[in-house]
Amino acid sequence: MKVISDPNQVALVDRSLAAVWHPCTQMKHHESFPLIAITKGKGAWLYDENGNALLDCISSWWTNLFGHSNPRINNAITQQLEKIEHVMLAGFTHPPVVELSEKLSALTNGNLGHVFYASDGASAVEIALKMSHHFWQLNGKPQKKKFVCLENGYHGETLGALAVTDVAIFREAYGSMLQDVYTTSSPDARKAKSGKSAEDVVKQAIEDLEQLLKKNHGLIAAIIVEPLVQCAGQMAMYSPEYLRLVRELCDRYEVHLIADEIAVGCGRSGKFFACEHAGIWPDFLTLSKGISGGYLPLSLCMTTEKIYRAFYSDQTRHGFLHSHSYTGNPLACAAALACLEIFETENILEQNKVRSKDLEHAFIWAKTDSRIEHWRQQGMILAFDIKNENIKKPSTFAREMFLHGLTERVLIRPIGNTIYVMPPYILSPEETAQMGSAIQLALEKVLA
Ligand SMILES: *Cc1c(COP(=O)(O)O)cnc(C)c1O
């Protein structure tokens, strides 16, 4: 690290570049690409050191549901801070974690009545994978230990989660560290080409999965999917029918279904859990990102009575011996409870039906633009792709869009040629419209 003699003489971003290794970043790109220091947030707006405002169209990496510095969440955390900030969850419990578990379980009508906590999303995925694996051992089927994942799926970047992730750029360097998995076709509706429909794509994906399960189910513990939207995989969307059929196959072939709702849960898809669109429950459901309103690291894996019972025994080693230091942190649980309360008292899921209509209208221009394809929306996620022939330099398109977004005062982070928005559930109709026209202007400049 470069030693900075007088920090007051050096810009915060330069000190950051000297001392902080930023995530998901080629640090050298910052030689020509700005790093932005945010010193304040209010509602959907972020403010930099100089007071410049940016509309946060992607909810701070898909986490923020009710705005920055939300009075109700702030208050809940402050209140909890006066009581107990943290206590280990092994051998101890506390009011926020009990209440949160009860509330979440009730949201699944008791179908997923046991909640295991961690701190980040990838850890919740690890927990689901390990629980499934261990369940089959406890049930005398230790050979059922492989996982099935979807083409283009994303489940996090720790080694277990990365193994079931199919995004090349994240896996490339680490392939030899990862366990072997089966990767099956994605039901991504964009694959419907030359006379094929989205239903045909689902049918094909199900046929492929059935072939795989028929042949190998004796070796397979679970399949992991992102319900309805493969978010990191360029917001690839698909029909709930796929989930319903996967549930049937899992039942027929005795394979667990893991629904990774870390990005699509907490109302993002239009219902609280995305699985509800298909009228199914998985064996494991993971949540993180939005659950604490984007305030504090919190993740969890919910599961069924059947799974829970399998671990219940006089023998210690039959228990699920997994832990993280900050598992079920009281402050994070208090933030999550405040979020659930906002969902209830402000009727958020109903309100979001109106908000997603606003969103559609704000981007109606993109539906008919001949340079754009695959316009799609699921609840509070809207995305479209810029056709490759219209992009001069594909390798820098996303970064250029980000830059021109800044000029138009919007924070967006396109993935490849996909532009998407995933805003917090608090935008006024005017802010939503402003977001649409700012992104249109930015796009015109990049494509000019
Ligand atoms: C973000 C994400 C994860 C990983 O969560 P982290 O908190 O970043 O570890 C896992 N699965 C899905 C679907 C995600 O979008």
Side-chain angles (χ1 to χ4, degrees):
M1 157 189 165
K2 274 183 264 168
V3 178
I4 290 169
S5 45
D6 181 358
N8 295 322
Q9 296 301 307
V10 182
L12 191 63
V13 291
D14 292 324
R15 285 164 58 198
S16 190
L17 290 173
V20 182
W21 197 338
H22 291 268
C24 205
T25 300
Q26 168 50 267
M27 293 298 289
K28 191 163 193 290
H29 285 164
H30 279 306
E31 285 179 7
S32 58
F33 192 74
L35 177 70
I36 302 158
I38 296 298
T39 49
K40 213 182 94 176
K42 186 70 201 158
W45 295 87
L46 294 167
Y47 298 87
D48 74 8
E49 298 173 283
N50 306 315
N52 296 313
L54 264 185
L55 183 60
D56 186 351
C57 308
I58 58 164
S59 301
S60 290
W61 252 355
W62 320 345
T63 62
N64 187 291
L65 303 189
F66 301 118
H68 300 279
S69 192
N70 179 293
R72 287 176 74 174
I73 308 174
N74 284 10
N75 185 46
I77 295 173
T78 316
Q79 299 264 320
Q80 183 57 40
L81 197 50
E82 297 295 327
K83 295 173 189 153
I84 174 76
E85 75 300 323
H86 184 62
V87 62
M88 62 198 280
L89 203 58
F92 295 87
T93 192
H94 52 79
V97 79
V98 175
E99 238 179 281
L100 179 59
S101 310
E102 289 173 349
K103 286 226 159 106
L104 287 170
S105 162
L107 286 172
T108 71
N109 301 316
N111 282 286
L112 302 169
H114 300 276
V115 190
F116 197 99
Y117 289 86
S119 320
D120 56 75
S123 301
V125 169
E126 302 279 339
I127 287 162
L129 298 175
K130 282 176 72 178
M131 270 187 186
S132 173
H133 176 97
H134 198 164
F135 173 92
W136 294 116
Q137 268 181 43
L138 294 168
N139 278 266
K141 294 185 176 161
Q143 68 283 9
K144 279 174 81 69
K145 59 184 180 188
K146 284 189 72 165
F147 295 100
V148 180
C149 59
L150 297 193
E151 162 199 10
N152 195 37
Y154 178 90
H155 300 285
E157 290 160 54
T158 56
L159 295 179
L162 190 58
V164 289
T165 287
D166 183 45
V167 178
I169 188 127
F170 297 133
R171 283 180 65 102
E172 220 164 50
Y174 316 104
S176 65
M177 299 174 81
L178 306 175
Q179 64 164 319
D180 245 2
V181 297
Y182 296 112
T183 306
T184 187
S185 318
S186 162
D188 181 353
R190 294 177 303 174
K191 287 159 77 177
K193 297 229 164 84
S194 59
K196 290 248 166 73
S197 68
E199 289 74 41
D200 296 330
V201 177
V202 165
K203 217 168 128 215
Q204 186 61 54
I206 286 294
E207 272 172 34
D208 292 349
L209 178 60
E210 175 151 28
Q211 287 302 318
L212 177 69
L213 295 184
K214 201 185 244 169
K215 188 153 170 250
N216 301 299
H217 65 94
L219 305 174
I220 293 173
I223 172 170
I224 182 165
V225 302
E226 293 160 274
L228 300 190
V229 190
Q230 295 185 301
C231 293
Q234 298 192 305
M235 302 293 159
M237 298 187 187
Y238 63 85
S239 150
E241 179 66 3
Y242 177 78
L243 292 176
R244 219 180 45 71
L245 295 170
V246 170
R247 178 70 271 181
E248 275 180 24
L249 288 178
C250 285
D251 290 341
R252 184 160 352 131
Y253 289 103
E254 273 208 303
V255 164
H256 291 144
L257 172 57
I258 304 171
D260 179 354
E261 298 221 7
I262 288 168
V264 293
C266 302
R268 187 53 73 181
S269 73
K271 296 190 184 285
F272 191 84
F273 297 108
C275 281
E276 292 177 82
H277 292 275
I280 58 132
W281 292 110
D283 301 284
F284 302 93
L285 188 150
T286 55
L287 286 182
S288 185
K289 294 210 165 101
I291 187 65
S292 73
Y295 266 68
L296 288 158
L298 181 70
S299 69
L300 55 98
C301 174
M302 306 178 72
T303 192
T304 61
E305 186 66 18
K306 181 174 176 194
I307 304 281
Y308 177 77
R309 280 288 143 201
F311 289 79
Y312 205 81
S313 147
D314 289 323
Q315 300 208 47
T316 307
R317 65 194 174 83
H318 289 178
F320 188 59
L321 305 183
H322 180 107
S323 61
H324 299 283
S325 312
Y326 286 95
T327 289
N329 172 260
L331 295 173
C333 290
L337 277 170
C339 289
L340 293 186
E341 208 180 281
I342 295 173
F343 269 104
E344 268 175 47
T345 57
E346 294 180 23
N347 212 0
I348 295 296
L349 295 176
E350 274 306 307
Q351 299 283 337
N352 277 3
K353 288 183 186 159
V354 181
R355 287 199 184 90
S356 58
K357 276 274 163 219
D358 290 347
L359 206 55
E360 181 187 349
H361 291 139
F363 288 92
I364 211 94
W365 56 269
K367 267 190 180 170
T368 49
D369 190 318
S370 61
R371 298 166 300 179
I372 290 172
E373 61 185 346
H374 305 310
W375 193 103
R376 54 201 182 274
Q377 184 180 14
Q378 176 72 53
M380 293 298 287
I381 309 174
L382 190 145
F384 49 85
D385 300 350
I386 311 305
K387 290 181 189 162
N388 283 325
E389 69 256 30
N390 294 301
I391 298 177
K392 272 171 264 157
K393 228 181 143 203
S395 62
T396 58
F397 173 75
R399 268 180 283 146
E400 277 180 60
M401 271 306 295
F402 171 81
L403 280 178
H404 284 278
L406 295 181
T407 319
E408 303 303 329
R409 306 210 310 162
V410 287
L411 163 51
I412 51 170
R413 242 179 102 93
I415 310 172
N417 64 333
T418 298
I419 294 177
Y420 75 91
V421 292
M422 203 158 161
Y425 312 157
I426 53 160
L427 296 195
S428 66
E430 295 74 29
E431 282 171 326
T432 303
Q434 184 183 349
M435 172 167 74
S437 42
I439 291 172
Q440 185 177 19
L441 275 176
L443 181 63
E444 286 308 333
K445 286 186 182 154
V446 173
L447 296 184

